[in-house]
Amino acid sequence: MARTIAAAVALFCLLAAFGCGVPKQKIPVSTNPVGATVYADGEKACGSTPCAVRLDRRADHLLTIVKEGYEQEEVVVRREFKPDRAIRDGLISGILKGGDPKGVASETAREVDEQERSGEAYVLTPSIVTIKLTPKGSGI
């Protein structure tokens, strides 16, 4: 009984820490000068820099930064696979289920696979975007 309660508490803590649904990452965006509009994958993401955009970790993204009188800038935000996070979570899950070493290994593999499919095993880079805008016609 105590083992079941401990497992339930640990699961609750993991869910509270990682949340549910599509994993998103907040990317702060700042420009010099301020006041640019940021588009993520062609859709307006924030109206005036500095701001932050929330992006799905399951895919790469293109940020387009626009300000009247300045050259448009584009930043590619790429996802990077972080297997250490998925392996750690799989080991915790396998150990909490009280499995033998084979069961723990199986649970770890299942968890890595699940987190890769859901996007939880990825982080987006760059994690902060800072752009110095170039005035139109400056030839720089």
Side-chain angles (χ1 to χ4, degrees):
M1 181 67 167
R3 184 181 214 158
T4 303
I5 292 171
V9 169
L11 181 60
F12 175 77
C13 291
L14 284 173
L15 288 174
F18 297 110
C20 299
V22 175
K24 298 214 179 227
Q25 183 174 329
K26 188 169 158 181
I27 307 286
V29 180
S30 63
T31 59
N32 181 8
V34 300
T37 301
V38 180
Y39 295 85
D41 305 319
E43 299 201 15
K44 190 173 182 178
C46 75
S48 184
T49 57
C51 60
V53 295
R54 292 183 54 79
L55 301 172
D56 181 344
R57 290 190 303 189
R58 296 177 296 177
D60 293 344
H61 301 277
L62 178 65
L63 297 182
T64 305
I65 300 160
V66 179
K67 182 170 174 71
E68 182 77 31
Y70 292 85
E71 298 291 334
Q72 174 177 301
E73 298 286 340
E74 293 184 339
V75 176
V76 176
V77 179
R78 299 196 187 282
R79 68 183 187 149
E80 289 185 8
F81 183 57
K82 298 294 184 183
D84 54 328
R85 174 185 292 163
I87 290 169
R88 179 201 65 216
D89 291 349
L91 285 171
I92 291 169
S93 179
I95 291 167
L96 289 175
K97 289 182 178 178
D100 58 15
K102 224 175 176 181
V104 171
S106 174
E107 181 64 23
T108 300
R110 186 200 65 72
E111 185 71 26
V112 169
D113 183 55
E114 173 61 30
Q115 287 191 27
E116 188 172 2
R117 277 189 274 116
S118 74
E120 291 178 65
Y122 293 92
V123 295
L124 299 175
T125 59
S127 59
I128 298 172
V129 174
T130 305
I131 299 287
K132 181 171 177 17
L133 298 172
T134 305
K136 283 187 178 176
S138 68
I140 297 176

